[in-house]
């Protein structure tokens, strides 16, 4: 599916506020409500819109600690990499997992209640995975910018 300018504008609007109704979107884009409905449906079917979520205030729900962990694995075979990815994806504390090029294998963004919760996560979940050799963690002191919208 090739994106036209209307599709791009529609995606940008939905990234900023996914609660906009088709009527509001049609008004902003000067298209009919039916046309907007069809475009959104096609964008979802084509995988441009993966899901629609509510972004929560982590502090208000008791998530007080964000950390980034560099994970070094014991081996780099397809099986080891795949097993690690499958296991780490099961942990609700892991918000993001990226395989990296460079001096470590994976970067994880981890969200926990506090330092004690992180400590329990590390000792009882992450560090006990058989593929893990070393974990090096950095703790967030303050958050200057956190965006979810892509700019294209």
């Amino acid at each position: 599916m090739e994106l036209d300018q209307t599709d791009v504008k529609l995606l940008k609007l939905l990234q900023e506020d996914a609660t906009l109704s088709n009527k509001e979107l049609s008004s902003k884009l000067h298209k009919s409500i039916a046309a907007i409905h069809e475009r959104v449906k096609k964008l979802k079917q084509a995988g441009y819109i993966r899901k629609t979520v509510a972004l929560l205030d982590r502090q208000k729900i008791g998530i007080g600690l964000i950390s980034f962990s560099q994970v070094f694995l014991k081996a780099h075979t397809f099986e080891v990499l795949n097993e690690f990815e499958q296991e780490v994806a099961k942990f609700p504390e892991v918000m993001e997992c990226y395989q990296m090029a460079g001096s470590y294998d994976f970067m994880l963004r981890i969200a926990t209640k506090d330092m004690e919760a992180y400590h329990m996560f590390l000792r009882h979940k992450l560090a006990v995975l058989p593929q893990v050799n070393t974990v090096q963690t950095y703790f967030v002191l303050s958050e200057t910018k956190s965006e979810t919208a892509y700019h294209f």
Side-chain angles (χ1 to χ4, degrees):
M1 177 179 168
E2 185 94 12
L3 295 179
D4 63 17
Q5 285 300 319
T6 301
D7 292 326
V8 170
K9 289 175 185 174
L10 178 57
L11 289 171
K12 288 180 178 182
L13 286 169
L14 289 172
Q15 280 192 117
E16 293 299 322
D17 185 359
T19 65
L20 290 171
S21 68
N22 286 338
K23 182 178 179 181
E24 292 168 315
L25 291 167
S26 70
S27 175
K28 290 178 182 289
L29 298 173
H30 309 291
K31 302 285 182 190
S32 72
I33 296 171
I36 293 298
H37 175 76
E38 282 304 310
R39 280 180 184 263
V40 170
K41 183 177 168 184
K42 286 180 183 176
L43 289 166
K44 286 180 179 179
Q45 289 172 343
Y48 286 94
I49 300 172
R50 290 189 302 144
K51 62 183 176 178
T52 304
V53 300
L55 299 177
L56 307 181
D57 183 319
R58 68 178 176 83
Q59 299 284 346
K60 289 184 179 182
I61 61 167
I63 304 297
L65 184 66
I66 301 295
S67 58
F68 291 88
S69 292
Q70 297 173 344
V71 180
F72 302 81
L73 300 183
K74 292 178 181 176
H76 299 95
T77 64
F78 175 80
E79 292 80 15
V80 169
L81 294 167
N82 198 41
E83 287 171 10
F84 175 78
E85 288 173 325
Q86 288 177 5
E87 289 302 312
V88 82
K90 295 175 187 175
F91 300 147
E93 299 90 346
V94 175
M95 303 297 293
E96 296 175 87
C97 174
Y98 300 101
Q99 185 177 6
M100 305 297 289
S103 62
Y104 53 92
D105 301 308
F106 287 88
M107 173 69 79
L108 308 179
R109 182 170 66 94
I110 300 165
T112 56
K113 177 182 176 186
D114 53 24
M115 185 64 76
E116 179 63 20
Y118 172 80
H119 185 220
M120 292 296 104
F121 166 76
L122 178 65
R123 290 192 69 171
H124 299 289
K125 292 183 177 180
L126 185 59
V128 298
L129 292 177
Q131 307 85 2
V132 173
N133 184 32
T134 307
V135 177
Q136 189 170 14
T137 300
Y138 302 89
F139 298 99
V140 173
L141 298 177
S142 68
E143 188 175 293
T144 304
K145 182 178 181 180
S146 178
E147 292 290 329
T148 61
Y150 295 105
H151 299 279
F152 57 103

